[in-house]
C-alpha cells in the first residue's frame, strides 16, 4: 500500500482513495459526529430532540450484545451510555465512542456483579464488597450444606452413648434448641 501526499490538502491518502480532511460531523456514528452532537445536546438539552432519540436507539442497538453477554436488558446498557454521554469527559475525549463503550462495558460488569451479590451497583463497585462470593441457597447444591461444611459439624463432648461414642443426634437437637431459644429471646417471629 503506497501513500501519497496531495498537494492541495496536504493529507496522506491511500492510492486510489480520496481523503476527507474532516469526517461528516452530522453523522453521530463517527467520533467527530458524536462529539458535535454531544456539544449541541449539552448546549440545547436532550428533550424533544430527534437526533438524541436516534442516538439512544443507535446506542441500544450498538450495546445490545454487551448487555446480553452480562444478562442485562438492552436498555440498561443504553441508559449507561446516556449517563456517560452527558459528561464533559465524553465530549472532550479524543474518541468519544471509545469512552462511551468503555464506560458501558464497566457498568455492565458491575451491574451483573451487583445482581449476583444482591446489592446495589454502587456497592458492587467497591473492592471490599465485590470480593465476596455470590450468595447460595441451601437448595442449590445436591448435597446439603450441613452434611459437609465444618461450621455445621457439632460435637458435644459431654454426651456419650453406651459404647462411649459421641451421640451426634442429641448434640444437634441441643444446638437447635439453643438456637431457637436465642431467636425467641431476640424477639424473632
Amino acid at each position: 500500500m503506497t501513500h501519497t501526499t496531495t498537494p492541495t490538502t496536504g493529507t496522506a491518502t491511500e492510492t486510489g482513495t480520496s481523503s476527507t480532511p474532516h469526517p461528516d460531523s452530522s453523522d453521530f456514528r463517527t467520533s467527530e459526529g458524536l462529539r458535535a452532537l454531544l456539544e449541541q445536546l449539552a448546549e440545547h438539552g436532550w428533550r424533544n430532540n430527534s437526533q438524541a432519540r436516534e442516538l439512544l436507539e443507535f446506542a441500544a442497538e450498538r450495546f445490545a450484545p454487551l448487555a446480553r453477554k452480562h444478562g442485562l436488558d438492552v436498555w440498561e446498557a443504553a441508559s449507561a451510555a446516556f449517563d456517560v454521554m452527558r459528561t464533559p469527559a465524553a465530549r472532550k475525549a479524543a474518541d468519544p465512542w471509545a469512552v462511551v463503550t468503555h464506560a458501558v462495558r464497566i457498568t455492565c460488569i458491575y451491574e451483573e456483579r451487583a445482581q449476583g451479590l444482591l446489592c446495589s451497583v454502587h456497592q458492587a463497585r467497591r473492592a471490599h464488597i465485590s470480593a465476596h462470593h455470590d450468595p447460595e441457597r441451601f437448595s442449590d447444591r445436591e448435597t446439603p450444606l450441613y452434611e459437609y461444611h465444618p461450621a455445621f459439624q457439632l460435637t458435644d463432648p459431654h454426651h456419650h452413648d453406651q459404647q462411649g461414642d459421641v451421640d451426634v443426634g442429641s448434640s444437634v437437637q441441643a444446638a437447635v434448641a439453643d438456637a431457637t431459644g436465642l431467636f425467641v429471646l431476640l424477639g424473632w417471629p
Side-chain angles (χ1 to χ4, degrees):
M1 192 180 298
T2 60
H3 286 23
T4 60
T5 303
T6 58
T8 56
T9 62
T11 59
T13 62
E14 292 182 29
T15 304
T17 62
S18 63
S19 172
T20 53
H22 300 288
D24 184 14
S25 63
S26 65
D27 184 13
F28 58 76
R29 289 167 181 83
T30 67
S31 289
E32 287 301 317
L34 178 61
R35 182 186 343 278
L37 179 57
L38 293 179
E39 289 291 342
Q40 176 190 352
L41 293 172
E43 187 176 326
H44 300 292
W46 286 73
R47 291 183 185 231
N48 302 323
N49 188 316
S50 62
Q51 282 188 310
R53 185 175 34 250
E54 290 174 22
L55 175 61
L56 291 179
E57 288 170 357
F58 176 74
E61 182 181 314
R62 180 178 179 136
F63 298 120
L66 188 60
R68 282 189 217 103
K69 175 184 175 185
H70 293 284
L72 303 174
D73 183 65
V74 172
W75 289 103
E76 287 179 281
S79 174
F82 171 72
D83 288 342
V84 74
M85 285 180 196
R86 294 182 312 158
T87 65
R91 292 191 304 268
K92 295 176 183 172
D95 185 359
W97 275 119
V99 171
V100 173
T101 302
H102 181 70
V104 170
R105 184 180 61 82
I106 295 296
T107 300
C108 288
I109 289 169
Y110 284 113
E111 180 71 39
E112 179 183 29
R113 189 74 185 118
Q115 289 178 5
L117 290 171
L118 304 175
C119 67
S120 70
V121 176
H122 175 74
Q123 290 174 319
R125 288 179 185 258
R126 304 290 177 242
H128 68 281
I129 300 292
S130 65
H132 297 294
H133 65 82
D134 290 357
E136 285 185 51
R137 291 183 176 89
F138 285 122
S139 62
D140 286 347
R141 295 185 177 248
E142 197 171 298
T143 306
L145 184 65
Y146 61 82
E147 287 186 9
Y148 68 87
H149 197 281
F152 294 101
Q153 304 302 315
L154 301 174
T155 56
D156 188 354
H158 303 295
H159 290 293
H160 297 280
D161 61 8
Q162 277 81 354
Q163 288 96 11
D165 293 333
V166 175
D167 183 9
V168 177
S170 64
S171 296
V172 170
Q173 288 174 348
V176 169
D178 289 344
T180 305
L182 176 65
F183 289 140
V184 168
L185 290 173
L186 292 173
W188 286 25

